[in-house]
Amino acid sequence: MGRQGRACVVVLGDIGRSPRMQYHALSLARQASLEVDIVAYGGSEPHAAVQENRSIHIHKMKQWPKRLQNLPKILYPLTLLLKPIFQFVMLLWFLCIRVPRPDVFVVQNPPSVPTLVAAKWASSLRRSALVIDWHNFGYTLLGLSLGRSSRFVSVYHWFEKHYGQMANGSLCVTRAMEHELAQNWGIKATVLYDQPPEFFHPTSLDEKHKLFCRLNENVCHPLGVRDCLSTGSMGIWGETLFTSHVGRDTLLKKNRPALIVSSTSCCPNLVSWVQLLLANFESAEELGLKPFEPIKATHSLEESFSRTPDEDFGILLEAAVMYDRRVAAILNEDDSIDEGDLWKEISDGKQQLYPRLLFIITGKGPEKEKYEEKIKRLNLKRVAFRTMWLSAEDYPLLLGSADLGVCLHTSSSGLDLPMKVVDMFGCGLPVCAVSYSCIQELVKVEKNGLLFSSSSELADELLMLFKGFPDECGALKSLRNGALEMSSSARWDTEWEEHAKPLISKVISRNLE
C-alpha cells in the first residue's frame, strides 16, 4: 500500500481515552504507509506520537450539547431518541464530507448505534471498505443498565449484529470472541490481541525519581487529607516518599509504601461504595471480620459508554479495609493505638512485616474531594488512596514504577480482555485481576499474575504478596519476572503486522477490484 492510500479511524468517544484506536492509527500510518484521518470526540489529549505524526489528521466532532444533558426526567425518553440522531447526522457529515475519501474505514465497536450504521452508509456512499474492530458487544454493556430482557437491548442487539455482518472484515480481541462471532453472528473475525506499544516499558530508577518528584505534592500532601502518607517528604528533587537522590545515585527507600495502580474511568462510583460501607458497618471489628455483600452499581443509559459498568470497585475498597484490619490483628495492635505515632514510626524508618499500601486510581471523575473525605472516615491506618489523571506520557511511567496492578474488569460479555492489563504487562508490572471466562488468555496464574473472585481473596493475595516487602517478598518478585518476560516477547507493532495488516490490505484490494 503506497502513501497515496488513505484510512479513516472512527471512534464515537474521546480519542485520548481510546488507546487501541490510537495504536491502529499509528500502525496504519507507519506500517501500512497510509494517510490516516481520525474522526472522534475531543476531551483528553492523545499520545504525543499520534499528535506528532504528520500522516495522522484528527477531526473532532461536536458532542451532544451539555445544556441538554440535565433535562427533567420526564423528557429523558426524548433525549434517548434525539441524541443518537444527532450523533448519526454528525458522523455522516464527517465521514461523507469533512474527511477525504478513504480506502477503508476502521471502526471501534462498541458503541454500535449509531456508529456502525453511519460507517456502513458512509462506506457504501464513498465506495470504501469497512473493517470493524470488536472490543466488546454493545448490547451486553447496555444490558448492565437496562437488563438483558429489555426490548431496547433486543433492538440494539439486532442493529449490532445486522450491521456487523455487513462489514468487509472484522478484528476482535480474544479467541473466545472470535468463536462467538463465528458461531452465533455469522461473522469471521481475525484475532488481534492487545499488545503494548513501544512507549510502555519498565521505568528506570531515574525516571521513577523524577516522576515521584512531580507527583510528590499530590501523593503526600493532598488538600485536606491526613493518612499514613501525609507525613511523607516534601522534597522536590532530592527526596520523595519512594526514592532518595544521593550524589549521582538514585535509591529506593526500604520503608517505602507498596504502590498499587488500578485504572478506571469510574472514580465517582467509589463514593457510593464508601457510603455503603459506612452505612452497613459500625465498627472496625465488623469491617475486618465480616465479608461484604457486593451490590452492583447501576448506571443510566447516558453513562453506559462513558464509564465502565463492568467494573466493581467495591471489591477493591473492601479488600483494602480487610488488609488494614488483618495486618493490625497479625501484629497484635490495639485499635486505640494513636495513628499519628504509628505513622511517625513508619516514616522514621521502622521496618514493618507488612508495608503501607498506596492505591493510585487513575482516570477522570468528579467528586474527588468528596470521595477522599469518605475514605478518610474509614480510619485506615496502613492504606491510602489517591485519584489521579495523568498525561499519556506519565501514565506508562507510573505503571513501570508500581509494585502491583489491580484489574476489576469483569466484561459484560465475558469475551473481551482488559487493555489496562496489557499496558501493565508492557511495563513489567504483575497483576491481580478479577476472574472471568476468558481472562486466562492474558493472565497466566502464578506466572505473571493472580486471579480473584471476591474481596476476601484479593485481601489474601495482598497479604501474601507483600509480606516482607520490599526485600523478602519472593512471590511478588516471581510474578514481576513473569511480567517482564511477557513485556519483552510481545509488542503491538509485531501483532498488528502479522494479523491486522494482511486483513486491511485484503479488504482494500477487494474493494478496488
Side-chain angles (χ1 to χ4, degrees):
M1 291 184 281
R3 177 58 70 184
Q4 69 277 6
R6 200 169 196 103
C8 181
V9 175
V10 184
V11 181
L12 192 65
D14 183 345
I15 184 58
R17 298 168 74 177
S18 304
R20 181 173 166 105
M21 301 311 287
Q22 292 184 59
Y23 305 159
H24 270 304
L26 283 169
S27 292
L28 287 163
R30 292 173 175 174
Q31 295 168 254
S33 300
L34 295 171
E35 291 290 322
V36 180
D37 296 292
I38 297 176
V39 174
Y41 293 141
S44 308
E45 289 296 317
H47 195 277
V50 174
Q51 298 184 74
E52 294 167 3
N53 192 300
R54 295 185 177 181
S55 296
I56 298 177
H57 318 279
I58 300 176
H59 307 265
K60 296 180 180 179
M61 297 182 292
K62 289 184 178 180
Q63 299 194 47
W64 179 249
K66 288 186 177 181
R67 63 180 180 275
L68 299 180
Q69 293 179 4
N70 299 315
L71 292 174
K73 288 186 177 181
I74 194 171
L75 298 177
Y76 190 62
L78 184 62
T79 303
L80 294 183
L81 176 65
L82 293 180
K83 185 174 180 180
I85 293 175
F86 174 87
Q87 293 172 327
F88 179 70
V89 172
M90 188 62 61
L91 277 168
L92 279 184
W93 169 254
F94 274 82
L95 301 186
C96 294
I97 298 173
R98 286 291 299 274
V99 302
R101 176 191 172 274
D103 296 292
V104 61
F105 288 100
V106 180
V107 182
Q108 172 185 288
N109 184 74
S112 315
V113 179
T115 319
L116 297 188
V117 183
K120 179 56 188 175
W121 284 26
S123 67
S124 298
L125 290 169
R126 307 198 78 175
R127 298 182 180 179
S128 304
L130 173 62
V131 172
I132 299 174
D133 189 21
W134 297 82
H135 299 191
N136 201 344
F137 295 131
Y139 83 95
T140 60
L141 283 169
L142 193 61
L144 292 176
S145 300
L146 304 181
R148 287 289 185 94
S149 60
S150 167
R151 190 169 299 177
F152 196 90
V153 173
S154 298
V155 172
Y156 198 101
H157 183 199
W158 182 89
F159 271 98
E160 188 170 24
K161 182 175 181 179
H162 178 72
Y163 281 92
Q165 292 172 334
M166 297 173 73
N168 302 99
S170 289
L171 298 165
C172 65
V173 294
T174 64
R175 295 289 175 197
M177 185 175 289
E178 175 192 35
H179 180 77
E180 171 68 16
L181 287 169
Q183 293 296 312
N184 299 319
W185 293 58
I187 296 173
K188 182 179 180 181
T190 299
V191 178
L192 176 66
Y193 280 120
D194 283 319
Q195 299 291 357
E198 71 281 358
F199 38 82
F200 282 89
H201 56 75
T203 305
S204 69
L205 267 176
D206 284 341
E207 289 174 324
K208 289 180 183 180
H209 182 68
K210 292 176 182 177
L211 174 69
F212 291 140
C213 283
R214 292 195 295 274
L215 301 181
N216 203 58
E217 180 71 17
N218 291 332
V219 169
C220 295
H221 299 274
L223 185 64
V225 174
R226 183 175 179 272
D227 56 26
C228 61
L229 302 185
S230 58
T231 56
S233 170
M234 277 288 289
I236 298 178
W237 294 109
E239 187 170 342
T240 73
L241 187 66
F242 301 89
T243 58
S244 58
H245 201 62
V246 181
R248 296 183 178 180
D249 297 325
T250 300
L251 305 174
L252 288 171
K253 291 183 174 181
K254 294 291 186 182
N255 67 323
R256 67 185 183 273
L259 176 55
I260 303 173
V261 176
S262 189
S263 307
T264 184
S265 56
C266 307
C267 291
N269 296 332
L270 291 171
V271 179
S272 61
W273 265 103
V274 177
Q275 290 170 332
L276 178 65
L277 292 179
L278 293 170
N280 286 287
F281 296 91
E282 294 289 331
S283 67
E285 182 180 5
E286 283 183 309
L287 284 168
L289 299 178
K290 288 188 177 181
F292 293 83
E293 182 69 19
I295 302 175
K296 286 286 184 180
T298 57
H299 301 261
S300 70
L301 181 62
E302 291 291 305
E303 296 170 313
S304 293
F305 298 115
S306 61
R307 299 182 184 173
T308 313
D310 45 5
E311 289 181 338
D312 182 357
F313 262 75
I315 291 178
L316 182 61
L317 288 180
E318 294 161 8
V321 173
M322 290 177 182
Y323 175 91
D324 192 72
R325 303 302 185 250
R326 289 176 185 177
V327 170
I330 292 170
L331 300 180
N332 293 317
E333 288 181 355
D334 193 306
D335 281 344
S336 63
I337 187 172
D338 183 81
E339 295 172 344
D341 292 341
L342 174 64
W343 297 339
K344 188 175 187 306
E345 282 185 358
I346 296 172
S347 64
D348 286 346
K350 182 179 178 180
Q351 287 295 109
Q352 301 283 331
L353 181 63
Y354 292 95
R356 293 167 291 172
L357 301 185
L358 168 59
F359 289 91
I360 292 184
I361 302 171
T362 67
K364 283 191 173 180
E367 300 184 341
K368 175 182 175 182
E369 292 78 11
K370 184 177 179 180
Y371 149 71
E372 289 177 340
E373 181 63 28
K374 298 294 184 180
I375 286 290
K376 187 166 62 174
R377 289 175 55 199
L378 291 176
N379 296 317
L380 299 173
K381 295 181 179 179
R382 283 186 168 78
V383 180
F385 283 85
R386 300 290 185 267
T387 58
M388 295 184 185
W389 174 252
L390 294 104
S391 69
E393 288 70 39
D394 275 351
Y395 178 62
L397 295 176
L398 177 65
L399 295 185
S401 302
D403 300 296
L404 182 70
V406 172
C407 176
L408 298 156
H409 179 82
T410 55
S411 177
S412 62
S413 64
L415 301 173
D416 70 312
L417 294 173
M419 193 166 188
K420 65 192 74 176
V421 172
V422 175
D423 295 338
M424 290 172 181
F425 286 158
C427 296
L429 181 63
V431 170
C432 289
V434 171
S435 179
Y436 64 93
S437 57
C438 68
I439 188 64
Q440 292 194 46
E441 288 190 40
L442 179 60
V443 179
K444 310 301 179 184
V445 177
E446 296 186 355
K447 291 184 178 180
N448 57 19
L450 299 173
L451 301 177
F452 60 89
S453 300
S454 67
S455 54
S456 182
E457 286 184 14
L458 176 56
D460 289 341
E461 290 172 1
L462 294 175
L463 287 164
M464 182 269 292
L465 291 173
F466 288 113
K467 183 179 181 180
F469 180 86
D471 297 322
E472 304 298 326
C473 44
L476 181 63
K477 291 178 180 178
S478 177
L479 294 182
R480 176 171 287 278
N481 290 336
L484 286 168
E485 182 179 341
M486 187 170 185
S487 75
S488 62
S489 63
R491 287 287 158 179
W492 171 267
D493 289 350
T494 305
E495 186 80 7
W496 197 90
E497 186 80 23
E498 182 177 351
H499 300 288
K501 185 177 179 180
L503 173 68
I504 291 172
S505 299
K506 183 188 294 185
V507 298
I508 289 177
S509 298
R510 286 179 177 174
N511 195 57
L512 294 175
E513 291 176 357

